[in-house]
Amino acid sequence: MATPVLVTKLFVPRPRPNVVSRPRLIERLNAGLHRNLSVIAAPAGFGKTTLVSEWVAGCGRPTAWLSLDDGDNDPTRFLTYLVAALQTIAPRVGDGVLSALQSSQPPPPDEVLAVLLNEIATLVDSFVLVLDDYHLVDARPVDDALAYLVEHLPPQLHLVIATREDPQLPLARLRARGQLTELRAAELRFTALEAADFLNQVMGLSLSLDDVATLEDRTEGWIAGLQLAALSMQGRQDVSGFIQAFAGDHRYIVDYLVDEVLLRQPEDIRRFLLQTAILDRLSGPLCDAVTDQEGTTARLEALERGNFFVVPLDDTRRWYRYHHLFADVLSAHLRAEQPDQVSALHGRASEWYERNGSAPDAIRHALAGEDFPRAADLVELALPALFQSREESTMLGWLEALPDEEVQVRPVLSVLYAATLVVSGQFAGVEARLRAAERWLDTTANLSEMVVVDHEMFRQLPGYIALYRAAQALTRGDMAGIVHDAQRARDLASEDDHLLRGSAAGLLGLAYWASGELETGHQMYAECMAQIQRVGHVSDTLGCAIALADIRITQGRLHDAMSTYEQALQRAAGQGATAMRGTADIYVGLSELHRERNDVHTATELLLRSKELGVLAGLPQNPYRWCVAMALIREAEGDLDSALDLLGEAERVYMGDFFPKVRPVAAIKSRVLVDLGRVDEALGWAREQGLSVEDELSYLREFEHLTLARVLLAQYQTDRSDRSLRQALALLERLLRAAEAGERMGRVIEILVVQALAYQEHGDVLAALIPLQRVLALAEPEGYVRTFLDGGPPMAALLREAAVRGIMPAYTGTLLAAFDTGQPRADENIHFTSGASPPLVESLSEREVDVLRLLNTELSGPEIARELVVALSTVRTHTKTIYSKLDVNSRRAAVKRAAELGLI
């Protein structure tokens, strides 16, 4: 039944022939079409939906319509329905966005909207998007998403918001810019003429002008009040006396008039209205089931014809809803008059939805009717499918609504509860749920109290309990615990339970990887990929491919890593999906490999492709990796300040995942700080991390210790302290032995490069050539280039010395050629020997001077962008231009040069 739900949310209400035409308001809306936004804001019953439906029918533009409810507070759900609404007029718009929203880590709403708006901007025809009942949304993330949408609307799109209260938007700014059309209660009230037309023509009364004026005055033109009054007056003799009998505010009038309306209905109609008040959508078959009557389709049609606050939700008049005000009062009457019937009515609705394939609605009504055993049965059967569609918030909502005693007697549901907590990152309650399930596996338990609905899942419980215990151990960093429980899960899994076997193998792969046993970790991950591929989880195989390639890179097997990435993309393409969750991360990995080959152009193009796919297919699973990869490209280009900004962004967007954190962003930042000459800050990082040359070495901290060796070498370059050099060389030797023992040849290559540079810095060229000769032999078959170029002029000098001595002449020649054509590094700035500074070749623009002055502060790139109210990319463009004009390659050099020239 998901389809009818979606149909009713996206249905564009058609103007009804028996409504009062409102040309003055239609003209206002037409006049505002050239603006970005129209807001129709008024309390309930002022005809907002009716007015907008009449207007869109004649505005000459296609219309996408989304009727919102209180279930749309989740931004992912809101955006999913938003795309679905847009696809009613542009069927292919947002296809990739929908895939992204179904991922395990949906991208931020503004990034989803950025892609969606770019797609909308390519549409030829202008159109209208209506968000009806926006007041039912009460979630800041959705408000923020709407604000982003409004601020970036393409010219083709005119947005209409119908709401009872002002949306959380910068309305004052939009008003000042002339981008806003507003209709409020004062404009929506019926005038005296409109009231007379409605009461006498539409509702079929014959009221005098005085009676109409009195009613219009008492209701203040409130349309719902006039409609209720008209229904109450039908068939009365003393109409004028009735009109004089009521007064008060809208709530009082509603209560009074609905009472009057209900009292005047035949008993069967009144009973039907009260019994169906529990439904948020009405159809003939559903109402038949709830009321235990037949023929209610005709009754719904008759209510609509009689203007009885029944609103059609589709073109076929199959689905309806009551006007919200009317439904509220009906519900109150039902609870007051027949409280003992409420649960039974919800039960019938739940049973009907279950028979018709809508588990969510069946569960909702079972919970509303407090039939918790039935709700628990339904939840137990529904959860497995929701795991695959990754609807964690929905699952948690259902589980939390169930009494704990109902869950405790259900072992399958307890394990599913634990699984939901795991995938939601809420590990605190996992063990209690697993123990609650485990006690029913004890042969001494009183099984007569146990409730199981999914018997197949029950047979698999021991394996899944072990699996989620392994996941808990992973969060604690308990490698032995992971191996013990994951292996147990693997052993308990049946041969055909590929998902359990694959998940267990993946956890084993993580444990061995984090422990530095890379080849065993690779084997386990390969098994995980093969198993989950057999159950069709293609997007999850991409995550496995990322892990497999990461391992191969650490092993120094770049060609194998490239093949792993390429095969993963081929698998995705074989499923007809060039964009699915994980593809963006694959492109990040490919970019890093091309950067190592010094193909910076291709590396950059791959990252741009990744960014495009990232939003379409679910954002990189690890978005910080994109920032790190781009930072390393900026570093290769010599733009160290931009590299540092990107690494700061990487830290901000970092979200912990199950992959071992073997290359911390803070350590990469410290390397860039060294390149910028900010050695003291890099040493501060080492102190903050508690790093020491005497530390016991481990694979998890290997990258950090290698970074410490680089920092100590930089300290030696600054203060020429032999102690720093000795410490660096001793640490490098220990790291080399550990990496060789673990067959981490990628790490061995880097260590040997740093060793060679350390001896070179000390002036011992012959000693430097020993690790250099070895690293050249290891690196050449895999095509390493950037690792050497990052060594700067000292490495170039060493390579020239190696070439002279005939050490791997072809490879050294290739590397030296790359030095000759590569981008200059920050430490290759030209230093002028004359005391006078050279003249500025080209003057700076006023905006460039603004940027330059802010470069002479502690502000980061993003902070400078916010200060100047421009995009970060604009700041970077100005910065590069400034560097070019000042003939420098770093922020510090730019500030120094500008000071020499008297620019700051």
Side-chain angles (χ1 to χ4, degrees), residues 267-449:
E267 180 56 30
D268 60 334
I269 296 291
R270 190 175 189 278
R271 184 170 57 253
F272 174 83
L273 292 171
L274 293 180
Q275 289 178 333
T276 55
I278 65 159
L279 302 172
D280 57 0
R281 295 184 311 280
L282 310 164
S283 74
L286 173 58
C287 292
D288 284 351
V290 170
T291 63
D292 199 20
Q293 300 176 18
E294 293 183 357
T296 58
T297 297
R299 178 158 289 166
L300 288 170
E301 293 170 353
L303 290 171
E304 184 200 358
R305 287 194 302 271
N307 292 296
F308 220 91
F309 291 94
V310 174
V311 181
L313 295 177
D314 58 21
D315 283 319
T316 62
R317 296 306 201 260
R318 184 182 175 209
W319 287 94
Y320 300 83
R321 69 169 173 83
Y322 289 127
H323 187 287
H324 297 309
L325 270 177
F326 193 58
D328 290 346
V329 177
L330 288 178
S331 295
H333 275 270
L334 174 65
R335 289 191 298 272
E337 297 178 22
Q338 304 175 30
D340 56 329
Q341 291 297 308
V342 173
S343 180
L345 295 170
H346 278 296
R348 293 174 194 165
S350 176
E351 290 170 3
W352 186 88
Y353 275 118
E354 182 189 10
R355 289 195 302 272
N356 286 272
S358 181
D361 287 301
I363 292 168
R364 179 168 53 83
H365 279 288
L367 289 171
E370 298 186 350
D371 186 350
F372 297 121
R374 172 177 174 75
D377 286 352
L378 292 168
V379 170
E380 182 170 317
L381 294 172
L383 284 183
L386 268 67
F387 276 109
Q388 189 159 359
S389 60
R390 302 183 188 278
E391 298 181 47
E392 289 90 351
S393 60
T394 299
M395 295 189 291
L396 273 178
W398 291 343
L399 291 164
E400 290 169 353
L402 291 171
D404 195 56
E405 57 269 22
E406 191 65 52
V407 180
Q408 291 285 339
V409 297
R410 297 170 177 264
V412 172
L413 194 58
S414 293
V415 169
L416 291 172
Y417 204 148
T420 304
L421 293 171
V422 167
V423 297
S424 303
Q426 300 181 31
F427 288 90
V430 172
E431 183 58 28
R433 296 297 171 187
L434 294 178
R435 289 180 180 175
E438 209 166 30
R439 72 187 180 94
W440 295 108
L441 302 180
D442 186 342
T443 55
T444 63
N446 181 6
L447 300 184
S448 64
E449 298 176 2

Side-chain angles (χ1 to χ4, degrees), residues 579-601:
M580 68 167 57
R581 187 178 63 89
T583 52
D585 301 271
I586 298 291
Y587 279 96
V588 171
L590 286 169
S591 171
E592 291 190 301
L593 291 174
H594 281 277
R595 186 195 65 85
E596 180 55 50
R597 292 176 174 177
N598 202 37
D599 187 354
V600 176
H601 174 75

Side-chain angles (χ1 to χ4, degrees), residues 399-632:
L399 291 164
E400 290 169 353
L402 291 171
D404 195 56
E405 57 269 22
E406 191 65 52
V407 180
Q408 291 285 339
V409 297
R410 297 170 177 264
V412 172
L413 194 58
S414 293
V415 169
L416 291 172
Y417 204 148
T420 304
L421 293 171
V422 167
V423 297
S424 303
Q426 300 181 31
F427 288 90
V430 172
E431 183 58 28
R433 296 297 171 187
L434 294 178
R435 289 180 180 175
E438 209 166 30
R439 72 187 180 94
W440 295 108
L441 302 180
D442 186 342
T443 55
T444 63
N446 181 6
L447 300 184
S448 64
E449 298 176 2
M450 182 179 73
V451 181
V452 173
V453 182
D454 188 341
H455 293 278
E456 178 60 31
M457 179 70 175
F458 179 72
R459 285 190 287 274
Q460 300 168 348
L461 279 192
Y464 280 99
I465 290 171
L467 180 73
Y468 296 124
R469 286 222 167 97
Q472 284 183 284
L474 182 62
T475 65
R476 300 192 302 268
D478 177 6
M479 299 305 148
I482 299 170
V483 172
H484 175 272
D485 289 316
Q487 188 60 55
R488 174 172 167 75
R490 192 163 169 242
D491 294 340
L492 289 169
S494 61
E495 285 297 323
D496 59 352
D497 192 346
H498 303 297
L499 185 59
L500 178 54
R501 295 182 68 83
S503 300
L507 285 168
L508 286 168
L510 284 168
Y512 288 121
W513 181 10
S515 301
E517 299 180 50
L518 300 189
E519 193 56 37
T520 306
H522 191 277
Q523 292 170 6
M524 289 294 100
Y525 253 112
E527 179 182 330
C528 172
M529 176 188 286
Q531 293 285 354
I532 62 177
Q533 191 172 347
R534 295 184 68 174
V535 291
H537 289 206
V538 178
S539 65
D540 290 322
T541 68
L542 299 183
C544 290
I546 295 161
L548 291 169
D550 275 357
I551 291 171
R552 286 298 188 229
I553 290 169
T554 305
Q555 292 176 317
R557 297 167 63 171
L558 304 189
H559 295 312
D560 287 348
M562 183 75 77
S563 297
T564 298
Y565 286 139
E566 290 171 346
Q567 290 166 12
L569 290 178
Q570 289 169 6
R571 277 194 300 274
Q575 297 292 315
T578 56
M580 68 167 57
R581 187 178 63 89
T583 52
D585 301 271
I586 298 291
Y587 279 96
V588 171
L590 286 169
S591 171
E592 291 190 301
L593 291 174
H594 281 277
R595 186 195 65 85
E596 180 55 50
R597 292 176 174 177
N598 202 37
D599 187 354
V600 176
H601 174 75
T602 300
T604 304
E605 290 297 314
L606 287 165
L607 280 187
L608 295 177
R609 176 65 173 151
S610 170
K611 190 163 192 176
E612 176 187 344
L613 290 174
V615 178
L616 289 175
L619 197 66
Q621 290 171 225
N622 305 294
Y624 80 95
R625 291 176 66 149
W626 189 96
C627 297
V628 170
M630 185 59 83
L632 295 177

Side-chain angles (χ1 to χ4, degrees), residues 611 626-627 630 634 639 641-650 652 851 855 859-880 891:
K611 190 163 192 176
W626 189 96
C627 297
M630 185 59 83
R634 295 287 176 255
D639 187 356
D641 292 316
S642 291
L644 206 57
D645 288 341
L646 281 160
L647 291 171
E649 180 66 15
R652 283 188 288 274
V851 173
L855 290 175
L859 296 178
S860 67
E863 289 169 336
I864 291 174
R866 287 193 288 273
E867 182 74 19
L868 296 175
V869 197
V870 297
L872 179 58
S873 58
T874 303
V875 171
R876 287 175 177 158
T877 300
H878 286 311
T879 302
K880 288 183 179 179
R891 180 171 179 169

Side-chain angles (χ1 to χ4, degrees), residues 79-145:
L79 291 171
T80 299
Y81 284 139
L82 179 65
V83 173
L86 293 170
Q87 289 186 341
T88 62
I89 56 173
R92 305 311 304 171
V93 163
D95 275 350
V97 166
L98 286 178
S99 174
L101 292 169
Q102 293 163 5
S103 69
S104 60
Q105 290 183 332
D110 58 345
E111 298 204 25
V112 172
L113 287 169
V115 171
L116 187 60
L117 291 169
N118 285 336
E119 291 189 44
I120 291 172
T122 66
L123 299 178
V124 175
D125 297 326
S126 297
F127 67 95
V128 174
L129 169 63
V130 178
L131 300 180
D132 195 17
D133 288 333
Y134 187 77
H135 58 276
L136 294 174
V137 174
D138 183 22
R140 180 62 182 271
V142 176
D143 288 337
D144 290 344

Side-chain angles (χ1 to χ4, degrees), residues 22 24-25 40-52 163-164 183-191 194 216 219-227 250 309 323 325:
R22 314 195 72 186
R24 62 187 176 88
L25 301 180
I40 296 91
F46 273 90
K48 300 181 290 294
T49 300
T50 301
L51 171 65
V52 177
T163 176
R164 293 185 190 177
L183 292 177
R184 299 188 174 276
E187 291 89 1
L188 292 170
R189 300 180 197 281
F190 270 171
T191 64
E194 288 171 337
E216 195 274 334
T219 60
E220 297 180 336
W222 182 43
I223 300 168
L226 287 168
Q227 186 174 359
H250 290 167
F309 291 94
H323 187 287
L325 270 177

